[in-house]
Amino acid sequence: MAIKEFFRNAFQDMKESAHAQHEVDKAQFAAVKAESKANFAEAKAMGDPKRRKAAMQAERDARIEEAHKRTAEAQARLDAVEKQK
């Protein structure tokens, strides 16, 4: 009787585990599908010259802003060193 119960519990655990893994797989598949759809929409939108130009300008503006911050930080470090002299 104990072996019968052991196998019954083992198979029940495997069934629950398989069901849980199936739910994980479904969720991951849905996420990948949504990401692919978004990537396609973005690529399609980049075919429009106005959108591509605006996106590229926004990226350049962000890089310029980052460069200005780095320059300001470097200048502050230089000022701190010169004050110590």
Side-chain angles (χ1 to χ4, degrees), residues 13-51:
D13 288 345
M14 285 190 292
K15 180 181 175 183
E16 291 171 1
S17 178
H19 180 70
Q21 185 62 44
H22 179 67
E23 292 298 319
V24 169
D25 291 342
K26 280 180 16 180
Q28 288 178 338
F29 180 76
V32 168
K33 186 177 176 181
E35 289 170 348
S36 295
K37 197 171 191 178
N39 288 341
F40 177 75
E42 287 175 347
K44 188 175 178 183
M46 284 298 155
D48 181 16
K50 291 179 184 177
R51 287 185 183 179

Side-chain angles (χ1 to χ4, degrees), residues 35-76:
E35 289 170 348
S36 295
K37 197 171 191 178
N39 288 341
F40 177 75
E42 287 175 347
K44 188 175 178 183
M46 284 298 155
D48 181 16
K50 291 179 184 177
R51 287 185 183 179
R52 186 178 71 249
K53 191 173 182 180
M56 291 175 72
Q57 185 61 42
E59 184 179 340
R60 285 191 295 264
D61 291 343
R63 287 182 178 180
I64 290 170
E65 183 64 32
E66 180 183 345
H68 287 306
K69 286 180 184 178
R70 290 174 45 204
T71 303
E73 290 173 1
Q75 188 61 45

